[in-house]
Amino acid sequence: MKGVAPRRGIPAHDDPDGREFLTGEVRTGVVRHGSAVPSTLAARILALVPGERVRTLERPVSYAVSPDVFTGVDCTLPSGSGRQARGVGTLTCRVALVGGRVLQGSAYTRLTRGTDGRRQSWSHYLARPGSVEVLGRSSVDDLAAGLLAAAADPAHLDPGGAADRTVDVVRWAPGLDGRLPLRAARTRLRWVVTTGDQDALPSAALTTGAGAFRTLRVGLPAGVPAMAAVELCEDVALHDWLLTTLLDRVSRSRLDDPSGSLEPLLPAVEHLLHLWMPAARTDPRLVPLRTGLDRRAGLSRQWDATVARIRDQFSLRTIMLLSAHGPAVGDGTAGR
Amino acid sequence: MTGVEVAFSEAAGLRTTDDVPLAHVSVELGHLYAEDFAGGPERLRAHFARVRPWVDAVRAAADGRAAGGRARMSTCFLVDDYFTPFSSPAELVPQLLDAARAVGVEIDYLARESGCATAHGVPLAQLVEGRLVADPAPGTTGARPPATENGWLCNGQRSPVATASAMSGAVAWVPPVQNGARNHSVFLDVELRSGAADSQRWSCAFLATVWQLLRLGLLRNDGRSVADAVPWDGALPDVWGDLPPLLRLRAGARAFSAYRTFSILAPRFLDVEHAVRTVLAQVAIDEDVRAQVRRRARTDDPTLPVEVVDRLGYLFDA
């Protein structure tokens, strides 16, 4: 086999080489509540499974995540080649609330090779929750190409739809006042993670195109738990949404026009600026990959530059206001 | 800076999961209705006399599977105080114990059926309902919820219901389909509960599912064990509600929960148990609990099936 790039088959459930193949989608938006959702309310609205605890963390930014909810699927899997494969199993769904402001739905699954080439009884799939077995001839690369394609066939596996459904339970939960703190488009990030490829270096490729659809493909060497990569994808989706939303507010406020209103920026300043914390909960083994991706995509640089620009504008306008109404600026007495 | 090791964790982010003691097999010694008890001590003794050889056979089979060749076995009996409460613990329990002992059968644990709905304030049936993951019909992508009827659970796709507009024309019947059927379907639709929210009643099949899960040691509430057995101190109340949900009658009894269950039942319970298996196949067990049991079984019951429904054994005998 040496010298020939092997066409990678779908890993078995207990793959001897520890290979794993996961896919999922993250839907990110703002929570409908006038102020930051306090952690006690977050714990109540995210309690999607009776008898299961909502995980809440306060540092470095408040984060609450629902217990996992499973949903069954039995449908066609998208592929790059158009070859049809069937997937049967369950998606893991969860909802997270970041900083009491950002509501994130995440649905994902582990794709594994099917058993005996046919659909098993349902108890078989619930004995391996959070995985979808692939029935039919297929390969990792073919499925990955299909999963990351923007064009969606409604008959295909739809983790994003499952994520949205789970978020909807929380979005309209009693206790939330339904007021939008700011208008912001929801973003979708579809991802594929493969682990355990021989000699593979950690890799991550983020694609942002027109509209709200992004893709992220992550490759990891053996030994890194794929779950850590799921959290990484959610972290990237969060920060991509924050940046997208901030840039949208900036473009609405016409910063380059001195008479333009800064009003559209106020909710972003109030609700979002403090939430930028890349890799806050990323597994230490994946931090170099996360920071590398950030550097390459320039997310933090663009965020920092935009925040600096907003602050400069606010300072500038404040000074202008002061100079118009108060004592002259720069005489050494102002503000003392 | 090299060689620095830092750690930070928040307690609220962590959860521990109770381990529960496990026998190899939990044997249910029958399930009786009020009329069976009305038949008096003779009828009860005859029941346990019929059960006895099967109990011995279950022990022999369990010994054969257990690592070390000696299985830990416990026996249990479930009294229906949920649907048709009758008699009282003070009257009925001694009768039951005497009848069993007279033919050399020991009842280790006594449970109340309403304890499967709520035990020590924990709504067990609700916990299980919250863990149901419906068997998806082909064409389920995740975008829409599986077709469910409130309070019912089935093993496939129901027959389409004729709507008013469809009824005007001739409507051909479309059969229901069992998911994953081998050639032909055996379709089953199980009623989980009935009644309005304030007067809701769980079905016998659903409570029996909870009962199986308790016997398999697979239920937790926020990681804590539920319906722990309370040792019997000799006194018995006059009202079923005053009796603990699960009572340990014999001091030296093996653990109540077990890797596997074996139920010796009259054939009239076959449909209920078919329903139990249909529901149980759609319960997502907590991953930590599942892993715990699997880890322990590796050295204790090495051939334990991965799928929970396969851990249930039965004998149906009149």
Side-chain angles (χ1 to χ4, degrees):
Chain A
M1 287 302 282
K2 237 186 176 141
V4 182
R7 202 171 135 277
R8 292 176 299 175
I10 311 296
H13 187 73
D14 289 309
D15 192 78
D17 301 326
R19 288 192 309 136
E20 290 190 277
F21 177 25
L22 283 88
T23 188
E25 191 165 318
V26 188
R27 301 261 170 123
T28 310
V30 69
V31 68
R32 288 173 170 272
H33 195 63
S35 55
V37 177
S39 54
T40 45
L41 178 57
R44 203 159 71 230
I45 62 176
L46 294 173
L48 301 181
V49 182
E52 290 290 339
R53 188 183 299 192
V54 171
R55 235 165 16 103
T56 55
L57 299 170
E58 294 300 333
R59 291 175 216 294
V61 59
S62 81
Y63 174 84
V65 61
S66 75
D68 290 344
V69 180
F70 298 101
T71 190
V73 293
D74 178 350
C75 59
T76 313
L77 299 172
S79 69
S81 66
R83 193 197 301 269
Q84 299 252 311
R86 179 182 178 190
V88 187
T90 51
L91 303 174
T92 307
C93 309
R94 60 181 178 185
V95 183
L97 189 59
V98 186
R101 299 290 190 188
V102 186
L103 196 58
Q104 229 184 7
S106 174
Y108 59 92
T109 193
R110 189 181 309 264
L111 293 162
T112 60
R113 201 183 307 152
T115 309
D116 303 334
R118 60 173 186 84
R119 192 200 206 265
Q120 306 291 306
S121 61
W122 188 238
S123 55
H124 170 88
Y125 301 102
L126 282 193
R128 301 151 183 84
S131 57
V132 165
E133 294 194 355
V134 181
L135 299 171
R137 285 173 56 81
S138 198
S139 71
V140 169
D141 292 322
D142 194 20
L143 284 184
L147 288 163
L148 296 179
D153 182 329
H156 285 165
L157 181 72
D158 188 1
D164 258 351
R165 270 204 294 128
T166 321
V167 166
D168 278 343
V169 177
V170 176
R171 181 171 296 127
W172 307 109
L176 296 178
D177 63 22
R179 283 173 23 222
L180 270 180
L182 77 163
R183 297 192 72 81
R186 278 198 268 165
T187 56
R188 304 167 47 198
L189 181 127
R190 175 69 69 86
W191 55 263
V192 163
V193 170
T194 49
T195 74
D197 289 325
Q198 296 295 323
D199 313 321
L201 291 171
S203 65
L206 176 68
T207 313
T208 59
F213 186 66
R214 289 97 172 80
T215 66
L216 177 61
R217 181 161 185 171
V218 178
L220 297 171
V224 181
M227 268 315 298
V230 175
E231 283 170 8
L232 180 139
C233 294
E234 291 168 348
D235 190 49
V236 171
L238 169 70
H239 289 87
D240 169 67
W241 179 85
L242 285 171
L243 181 57
T244 303
T245 305
L246 189 65
L247 292 175
D248 175 64
R249 303 315 292 187
V250 167
S251 71
R252 282 167 197 267
S253 63
R254 309 210 321 274
L255 275 193
D256 42 4
D257 177 359
S259 63
S261 168
L262 292 184
E263 187 118 3
L265 283 171
L266 294 178
V269 171
E270 191 186 338
H271 301 301
L272 303 183
L273 286 197
H274 58 290
L275 300 180
W276 189 266
M277 242 162 265
R281 276 167 302 277
T282 303
D283 186 293
R285 286 165 290 187
L286 293 182
V287 168
L289 183 66
R290 177 71 183 87
T291 43
L293 177 68
D294 189 81
R295 204 177 306 128
R296 177 82 196 158
L299 298 177
S300 281
R301 255 182 301 154
Q302 194 172 5
W303 174 269
D304 291 343
T306 309
V307 170
R309 192 169 165 219
I310 291 169
R311 291 203 171 126
D312 287 349
Q313 282 295 330
F314 273 101
S315 308
L316 211 59
R317 307 250 178 141
T318 310
I319 291 165
M320 282 160 65
L321 271 173
L322 285 174
S323 56
H325 300 290
V329 176
D331 67 355
T333 59
R336 302 274 156 167
Chain B
M1 255 190 6
T2 54
V4 177
E5 194 173 301
V6 291
F8 173 72
S9 66
E10 289 184 59
L14 307 171
R15 193 199 79 171
T16 56
T17 304
D18 282 353
D19 228 339
V20 300
L22 290 171
H24 284 94
V25 61
S26 152
V27 183
E28 183 176 11
L29 302 169
H31 191 59
L32 301 174
Y33 286 133
E35 58 263 33
D36 301 306
F37 286 98
E42 267 316 306
R43 182 123 166 230
L44 286 181
R45 216 173 300 146
H47 168 78
F48 287 110
R50 271 200 310 278
V51 162
R52 159 111 207 230
W54 303 123
V55 176
D56 295 340
V58 173
R59 180 185 296 283
D63 281 346
R65 278 192 307 258
R70 275 197 65 78
R72 301 183 301 278
M73 182 171 108
S74 66
T75 61
C76 57
F77 198 91
L78 181 70
V79 178
D80 172 17
D81 68 327
Y82 188 75
F83 297 99
T84 45
F86 58 93
S87 186
S88 73
E91 192 184 337
L92 194 127
V93 176
Q95 273 183 41
L96 208 57
L97 285 174
D98 289 347
R101 276 205 192 113
V103 295
V105 175
E106 287 284 358
I107 304 175
D108 294 334
Y109 296 91
L110 184 84
R112 290 192 288 117
E113 195 152 352
S114 47
C116 296
T118 307
H120 303 297
V122 180
L124 298 185
Q126 225 173 315
L127 294 189
V128 174
E129 192 188 29
R131 309 199 73 94
L132 290 177
V133 180
D135 187 340
T140 308
T141 64
R144 272 186 293 171
T148 50
E149 287 297 329
N150 197 15
W152 288 79
L153 190 69
C154 71
N155 64 352
Q157 301 158 69
R158 301 178 173 94
S159 286
V161 178
T163 56
S165 62
M167 275 165 79
S168 54
V171 184
W173 178 72
V174 180
V177 183
Q178 179 185 10
N179 290 339
R182 285 204 178 216
N183 303 317
H184 297 91
S185 287
V186 178
F187 179 81
L188 184 73
D189 211 340
V190 182
E191 186 170 21
L192 307 180
R193 50 185 160 75
S194 61
D198 53 341
S199 61
Q200 183 174 284
R201 281 179 86 64
W202 298 100
S203 69
C204 170
F206 196 69
L207 292 181
T209 309
V210 178
W211 171 236
Q212 287 282 6
L213 285 167
L214 281 173
R215 290 167 67 199
L216 290 167
L218 295 174
L219 281 188
R220 301 288 187 282
N221 178 35
D222 191 21
R224 304 278 80 82
S225 67
V226 295
D228 295 336
V230 176
W232 180 36
D233 61 3
L236 287 165
D238 290 322
V239 184
W240 287 108
D242 292 342
L243 196 72
L246 181 65
L247 198 62
R248 182 164 62 233
L249 296 171
R250 204 165 63 81
R254 294 298 195 169
F256 166 73
S257 297
Y259 294 111
R260 306 170 194 247
T261 68
F262 194 90
S263 306
I264 302 168
L265 298 168
R268 65 185 178 205
F269 291 108
L270 207 151
D271 56 350
V272 172
E273 292 302 318
H274 181 195
V276 166
R277 297 173 65 84
T278 300
V279 176
L280 199 57
Q282 301 179 62
V283 178
I285 305 298
D286 181 279
E287 193 48 39
D288 291 343
V289 177
R290 177 203 311 282
Q292 237 172 37
V293 172
R294 212 171 32 219
R295 197 167 48 243
R296 286 164 59 183
R298 218 167 285 152
T299 52
D300 218 11
D301 185 356
T303 59
L304 184 72
V306 178
E307 292 170 38
V308 172
V309 279
D310 294 341
R311 300 177 188 173
L312 275 52
Y314 295 98
L315 183 108
F316 292 102
D317 184 30

